[in-house]
Amino acid sequence: MTTRACLRSLSLSLALLLAGPAGSVSAAPKTTAPKVTISDIQAQVYDRQQGAIVATDAASDPYGMNVDAFIVVKLQGTYEGDAPLKLTLLVSAPKESSEAAGDRPAWKATQMRELVALAENGVTQVPFILPYHCASKVKVTAILTGSGLKASKTLNTSFPCAE
């Protein structure tokens, strides 16, 4: 073998050795944001007398007594990441006044859930329960964050009471 052939063979072997195995990845793979959305927010009440979840106008006590607000946030998509997703619920109502009920102060409530994994079928329903305060204008906002994801959805509703 000539010196030139030996050098060519040696160069080729060295290049292959330094290149490493075919298909190897030198950088860490990029993580993509989970494909999860907030598809719906539903507001109902938990009627303590009936021991059931009912529509806001079907509670046993029309004055808003013995009920809790029951909010369900529906998520669409799946997630099995390392860090949990955070679902925050913000519920608020402005100050209002009426002849029958008098003055009602403004109020707000915040709750948060950590979600490690979502349902395999792609639809996850996350319940929240909070005190029920009569109000004609209630704003319910759900915010989903984590792993490059930020989504939100708002429901404008009311928490009615007989006046």
Side-chain angles (χ1 to χ4, degrees):
M1 217 170 165
T2 65
T3 306
R4 187 174 217 177
C6 284
L7 284 175
R8 187 178 299 171
S9 177
L10 184 61
S11 298
L12 185 58
S13 297
L14 186 58
L16 289 173
L17 181 65
L18 291 175
S24 69
V25 178
S26 59
K30 292 182 181 180
T31 57
T32 59
K35 294 181 172 129
V36 182
T37 60
I38 300 170
S39 62
D40 195 20
I41 302 173
Q42 296 177 346
Q44 298 174 307
V45 295
Y46 177 78
D47 187 315
R48 295 180 198 160
Q49 182 175 329
Q50 295 179 41
I53 297 165
V54 298
T56 52
D57 59 355
S60 300
D61 185 333
Y63 298 99
M65 303 297 291
N66 294 315
V67 296
D68 295 301
F70 185 78
I71 311 293
V72 176
V73 178
K74 291 185 180 182
L75 305 177
Q76 192 76 36
T78 59
Y79 176 73
E80 293 182 11
D82 294 334
L85 297 175
K86 291 184 181 176
L87 181 61
T88 304
L89 187 75
L90 308 169
V91 184
S92 63
K95 176 181 177 180
E96 48 184 32
S97 182
S98 71
E99 234 180 86
D103 293 335
R104 293 184 191 144
W107 59 269
K108 62 181 162 180
T110 302
Q111 289 188 11
M112 194 269 301
R113 298 276 189 274
E114 285 193 350
L115 308 170
V116 178
L118 302 180
E120 288 180 17
N121 70 357
V123 178
T124 301
Q125 298 185 50
V126 183
F128 292 88
I129 193 159
L130 54 138
Y132 187 94
H133 299 286
C134 300
S136 61
K137 293 180 182 176
V138 177
K139 182 178 179 181
V140 180
T141 302
I143 303 167
L144 183 64
T145 57
S147 296
L149 173 72
K150 180 148 185 164
S152 66
K153 188 169 186 77
T154 298
L155 169 69
N156 291 309
T157 187
S158 65
F159 287 177
C161 292
E163 299 196 24

